[in-house]
Amino acid sequence: MAILEVRDLSAGYGPIRALDGVSIDVGEGETVAIIGANGAGKTTLLMAIVGVVPARSGSVAFQGRPITGLPTHVVSRMGIGHAPEGRRIFPRLSVRENLELGGFTQTDRQALKRDIDEACGMFPVLGERMAQMGGTLSGGEQQMLALARALVGRPKLLLLDEPSLGLAPLIVERIFDVIGSLAKRGISVVLVEQNARAALRLADRGYVLETGRVTLTGPGAELAHDRRVREAYLGEG
Amino acid sequence: MFFLQQCLIGLTNGALVALVALGYTMVYGIIGLINFAHGDLIMLGACLALTLVGALGIAAGGGAATWAGVAALVLLCGLFCGGLNVAVDRIVYKPLRNAPKLAPLVSAIGVSFIFMNAGLFWLGPADRSFPDLVPSTNLLAHDGLQFTLKDLLVVLVVVPLMVGLSLLVRTTRLGKAMRAVSQDPVAAALVGVDVDRVIAATFFIGGFLGGAASVIYGLYINTIGFQMGFQNGLYAFTAAVLGGIGSIPGAVLGGLVIGLVRALSSAYVGERWTGAIVFAILIVILVFRPEGLLGRRTREKV
């Protein structure tokens, strides 16, 4: 059964129609890549799923329950984590406080501590910087913090928006390693990326988004070999 | 000795200014709104305090009954101003959350006028004297230096409220959520924080502190009127800007500085120059430190 079903979703800003009838599915434990150029609507899609950008039409269902129109914090509490575009960590809170906020709904202090320790196990550099303000971290560390913050909330579905943007190759590799390990932990992933090659290698399936519409879909490996994808997004051809 | 006395007066008055300044700085910190109605909210708190003194039959005398009465006033006026602040946010500011910043600002000025007219109905046009429940007995065994029971009252109410606020913001779950919302409301919602509730809580706390301040004001200054909100609000707002608007310790420091400057300039330069001196100092400080004394410099990594 699909954990996330998006049907004919349209959304936008003022006169701009950023999403135009998008439908995607994400299965339990599946990693799905959304690739596309700048402005194709990838970020809007994620923001519309969690209700930050209101849907104009269409529907979103999570674990079979409709979540269209629900407030963002309610969607988040149902089990959808989001590491948003631009990371959006809290710059004037310590790394520890950032992580604690990731587990905002966890009222069991012991469990929260375990979840934070576990997240720091994946990114040991965060454990060394617990008392530092989030805004003083390097770009790569901030991305790790954004990912760790989302994981502390024990999401069933994790939405990742350009986790590799602007980062050094070694750090990208580390972050993609962690993303690749999420499926084993039973976390479904929607991965939005401009780094199409890395994303498709990791993903079970992929969708290509162009000017707010899905133009192509299929298994990750198949998309990576598609002529159109190679020409447009993999810099070949 | 005279100088020391003026400093004491200044610090006591400043503590009161600081309590009001906190209401400005907290609301600004969380939604970036300068709540022009805050001063008038406190005026309405003072109206309620005056009404309650009569209704509850609180009498002077300095005994336990008087102190219990004062505590009840602080609590009830705090709840009233906190609740009213939340209601105004719900009805007036919340629908404008995504509107251009000017819209809630102008609405706040409108709310200020509405409050002032409500106060005019409540109190009448003339200033009213507020019962002198707490006497000005000097607590120091010294003729030249006075620290009265009234001054003590200010300290006894203001200090615990400030310590409590600081603990709440620094250590509790709500405090952490408040700081998160003030830095990035969308990111806060994404981790499950109910942003509207946190904003409402902030309005409540700011209003509660204002309500407490209104009672102290009545007991300390002993005169209230429907126009008291404007000037007191202006000084408190100045204190918040001086300390760095959005910063809680900044509001406290700014309040104390304003109180001291007012007392010293009234004593040494003349009462009529006080306003000019206070605002001249504000301008000078903002020229050299636009972020205020304890405000943060906006320098963040992107």
Side-chain angles (χ1 to χ4, degrees), chain B:
Chain B
M1 203 52 77
F2 180 73
F3 175 75
L4 207 62
Q5 179 67 63
Q6 297 311 316
C7 288
L8 258 184
I9 294 175
L11 287 176
T12 312
N13 277 293
L16 197 52
V17 175
L19 204 51
V20 182
L22 284 170
Y24 282 98
T25 223
M26 289 179 74
V27 166
Y28 183 85
I30 205 113
I31 56 169
L33 166 72
I34 295 166
N35 185 4
F36 276 116
H38 192 61
D40 301 285
L41 178 78
I42 286 152
M43 178 271 298
L44 287 182
C47 294
L48 179 69
L50 183 63
T51 304
L52 284 176
V53 169
L56 301 177
I58 303 170
T66 307
W67 288 104
V70 169
L73 283 182
V74 169
L75 187 66
L76 290 173
C77 292
L79 291 175
F80 169 71
C81 287
L84 189 55
N85 221 18
V86 172
V88 168
D89 175 50
R90 262 294 129 81
I91 298 164
V92 183
Y93 306 138
K94 196 177 160 207
L96 300 171
R97 209 77 92 204
N98 298 317
K101 291 230 162 180
L102 210 52
L105 193 70
V106 172
S107 307
I109 296 173
V111 173
S112 162
F113 279 115
I114 293 170
F115 280 0
M116 212 189 291
N117 278 283
L120 180 59
F121 268 107
W122 201 332
L123 289 180
D127 279 355
R128 301 270 295 268
S129 70
F130 197 95
D132 207 2
L133 297 179
V134 180
S136 310
T137 325
N138 191 6
L139 298 172
L140 300 178
H142 194 293
D143 285 340
L145 199 60
Q146 289 218 338
F147 185 79
T148 66
L149 204 55
K150 258 186 202 169
D151 297 319
L152 181 67
L153 168 78
V154 176
V155 174
L156 278 183
V157 174
V158 173
V159 171
L161 282 176
M162 283 180 182
V163 171
L165 176 69
S166 144
L167 285 176
L168 181 131
V169 171
R170 280 213 318 268
T171 62
T172 65
R173 219 166 94 90
L174 173 63
K176 216 180 299 161
M178 284 165 68
R179 286 182 291 152
V181 170
S182 82
Q183 294 179 27
D184 190 335
V186 171
L190 288 178
V191 297
V193 174
D194 185 345
V195 174
D196 283 329
R197 253 180 70 183
V198 171
I199 293 173
T202 307
F203 268 88
F204 181 82
I205 295 166
F208 188 95
L209 298 177
S214 74
V215 176
I216 307 304
Y217 183 92
L219 293 171
Y220 191 71
I221 311 285
N222 293 119
T223 305
I224 65 171
F226 78 99
Q227 286 177 315
M228 66 181 259
F230 177 71
Q231 200 194 9
N232 288 293
L234 194 59
Y235 276 118
F237 171 61
T238 307
V241 174
L242 186 67
I245 194 150
S247 156
I248 287 177
V252 175
L253 179 67
L256 295 178
V257 169
I258 296 264
L260 273 178
V261 169
R262 274 169 72 178
L264 293 177
S265 77
S266 297
Y268 291 103
V269 187
E271 187 91 49
R272 71 173 74 170
W273 292 100
T274 298
I277 289 172
V278 166
F279 290 105
I281 287 177
L282 174 76
I283 291 169
V284 170
I285 287 183
L286 289 186
V287 166
F288 292 102
R289 266 188 82 85
E291 70 275 20
L293 293 173
L294 298 183
R296 76 196 146 79
R297 289 187 197 85
T298 33
R299 181 176 48 104
E300 275 152 32
K301 207 171 271 181
V302 281

Side-chain angles (χ1 to χ4, degrees), chain A residues 77 88 92 97 100 104, chain B residues 173 176 179 183-184 192:
Chain A
R77 289 174 185 187
R88 302 187 86 147
R92 279 163 280 114
E97 288 170 324
E100 285 169 354
F104 185 72
Chain B
R173 219 166 94 90
K176 216 180 299 161
R179 286 182 291 152
Q183 294 179 27
D184 190 335

